[in-house]
Amino acid sequence: MARAQRARIRTAGLQPAQVLVGLSSLAFLVFGIVGFTRTGFADFVGRSDATVLGFSVNPLYNLGFVLLGAIGLLLTFGSGRSRVFGLLTFVAFGALFVWGLMIAGTVSTNPVSQAGNPFNLNGPDNWLHLGLAALGLVIAFLPARHKVLLPEDEEETVVADRADSATVVEPLPDASRRPKHEKGPAVTREERPPGLAH
């Protein structure tokens, strides 16, 4: 019973969220780079007829994918960081999905109509953004694999760490080499008169 209370739970190994973030980040990078080969860098926020896999793109849209892919690769190295990337993906593509609905006229009023369409969004893009927002939500809340550490496991680790570390032992000074005016503790005890308390 006491063993169960003292056991600690930790995440173990490469997490599924990290794998998903790594794969999706590579896909974002490839999509953005291929988009740049179709659009170039001119007319950065303008309307373009270029498409990648049927989705309309422009240089600003491509840059967004490249940046998101690069951030994702940096956040892949850690379970918590991967979940943060999932939330970031959910928020970014969820906002683009809602904005795309407004631009496509699915939502009757568009409060940001004065901003135009800098990402060159269209109907198929909305479905892509909805799917990517759902992927971000899955990454953010995907269960992690855990490992239970019992007290014995931790003690073995500590003992192994101590055995691996170098121990420096300094030699004690030799009493025979002391100057005559300094007396060691053994000499002082012998010279005390027998009547005094120790």
Side-chain angles (χ1 to χ4, degrees), residues 161-183:
D161 289 345
R162 287 183 184 165
D164 292 342
S165 63
T167 306
V168 179
V169 178
E170 294 183 10
L172 294 174
D174 189 7
S176 62
R177 294 187 184 176
R178 290 185 184 178
K180 291 185 178 179
H181 61 85
E182 291 183 14
K183 296 182 181 178

Side-chain angles (χ1 to χ4, degrees), residues 54-167:
F55 303 108
S56 63
V57 293
N58 70 357
L60 178 62
Y61 193 68
N62 299 332
L63 180 63
F65 269 95
V66 168
L67 287 177
L68 196 61
I71 291 169
L73 288 178
L74 291 175
L75 296 179
T76 301
F77 304 103
S79 178
R81 293 180 188 136
S82 297
R83 294 174 197 289
V84 168
F85 178 76
L87 288 174
L88 176 67
T89 303
F90 170 70
V91 169
F93 286 111
L96 280 177
F97 171 67
V98 173
W99 195 0
L101 290 178
M102 293 177 188
I103 288 172
T106 309
V107 178
S108 58
T109 58
N110 185 356
V112 290
S113 58
Q114 69 275 7
N117 189 2
F119 291 103
N120 196 24
L121 303 176
N122 63 9
D125 289 339
N126 292 340
W127 294 110
L128 173 68
H129 298 154
L130 179 62
L132 293 176
L135 174 67
L137 207 56
V138 168
I139 291 171
F141 294 103
L142 196 64
R145 289 193 317 253
H146 292 91
K147 176 168 88 170
V148 177
L149 291 177
L150 297 174
E152 300 89 53
D153 299 335
E154 291 179 358
E155 287 172 10
E156 288 174 8
T157 306
V158 170
V159 170
D161 289 345
R162 287 183 184 165
D164 292 342
S165 63
T167 306

Side-chain angles (χ1 to χ4, degrees), residues 8-98:
R8 293 183 0 179
I9 299 174
R10 287 191 177 176
T11 55
L14 188 65
Q15 299 296 318
Q18 291 175 267
V19 174
L20 273 177
V21 168
L23 293 174
S24 58
S25 298
L26 286 174
F28 292 162
L29 274 174
V30 169
F31 187 88
I33 291 169
V34 170
F36 275 124
T37 64
R38 302 286 171 90
T39 63
F41 294 91
D43 199 13
F44 206 73
V45 294
R47 182 158 181 80
S48 170
D49 294 330
T51 60
V52 176
L53 299 175
F55 303 108
S56 63
V57 293
N58 70 357
L60 178 62
Y61 193 68
N62 299 332
L63 180 63
F65 269 95
V66 168
L67 287 177
L68 196 61
I71 291 169
L73 288 178
L74 291 175
L75 296 179
T76 301
F77 304 103
S79 178
R81 293 180 188 136
S82 297
R83 294 174 197 289
V84 168
F85 178 76
L87 288 174
L88 176 67
T89 303
F90 170 70
V91 169
F93 286 111
L96 280 177
F97 171 67
V98 173

